[in-house]
Amino acid sequence: MPNRLSLALLSVILFASFSAWAQSSAIGLWKTIDDHTGKTKSLVRISENKGEYRGKIEKLFRAPNEDQHPVCTKCEGAHKDQPVIGMTIITGMHYEDGEYHSGHILDPQSGKVYKAKMSLTEDGKKLNVRGYIGMPMLGRTQTWLREE
């Protein structure tokens, strides 16, 4: 009986530790909000592979009269005329000293690529994503909300 109790307690501790770790990492699904309307714009999944964090658009929230499967007509290079859903828009992000840095973010509406950095707030429930040109001072920040 003590072995079962110990195993159950260990399972609870491991699950709680994993949940806390997941909330303290940018890995997960994030809801982006339109700066002008305040409405949900998309869902972006951030993943990590060999220390690089990347973000891919999983879903778009668009008005019924808008194209539900848009392509990136203003993008250049490999993204030109590619579907926005499934597009990797965050690349090269690395975590150090409480911040994600040295990455890039693509704006599929304008086709422009910006330098980017990210930081978690509110116990991992919000992600501040800053796109900029040159220096971080010359940019803007969007706050994304954790979906899962």
Side-chain angles (χ1 to χ4, degrees):
M1 181 96 95
N3 286 339
R4 286 186 183 178
L5 182 59
S6 296
L7 184 59
L9 183 58
L10 180 61
S11 297
V12 168
I13 290 170
L14 287 174
F15 180 75
S17 297
F18 178 76
S19 294
W21 174 82
Q23 295 297 310
S24 65
S25 167
I27 295 171
L29 190 63
W30 296 91
K31 183 181 348 181
T32 70
I33 310 297
D34 186 285
D35 293 338
H36 304 292
T37 66
K39 293 182 180 178
T40 301
K41 190 173 180 178
S42 67
L43 293 178
V44 175
R45 180 160 314 269
I46 296 179
S47 59
E48 182 270 336
N49 184 18
K50 297 179 183 174
E52 179 190 4
Y53 293 81
R54 301 169 65 90
K56 181 186 283 191
I57 296 176
E58 283 196 358
K59 183 175 183 175
L60 294 174
F61 296 90
R62 301 175 59 87
N65 62 335
E66 292 181 296
D67 183 359
Q68 298 302 305
H69 300 283
V71 295
C72 194
T73 57
K74 295 182 180 178
C75 289
E76 297 178 358
H79 292 302
K80 178 75 174 159
D81 296 325
Q82 293 301 307
V84 174
I85 297 172
M87 184 174 284
T88 299
I89 62 166
I90 297 174
T91 57
M93 203 67 74
H94 292 75
Y95 182 78
E96 186 179 351
D97 297 328
E99 186 174 80
Y100 299 86
H101 61 85
S102 305
H104 292 90
I105 188 164
L106 166 68
D107 177 356
Q109 282 187 313
S110 69
K112 294 182 180 180
V113 176
Y114 301 94
K115 291 182 179 180
K117 66 179 192 169
M118 308 183 307
S119 59
L120 290 164
T121 63
E122 295 190 28
D123 295 327
K125 294 177 185 166
K126 293 184 178 182
L127 182 68
N128 289 328
V129 180
R130 183 157 187 86
Y132 59 94
I133 299 170
M135 300 181 300
M137 292 174 19
L138 305 174
R140 78 183 166 119
T141 300
Q142 282 190 337
T143 300
W144 295 2
L145 308 175
R146 188 179 291 278
E147 189 72 8
E148 68 175 45

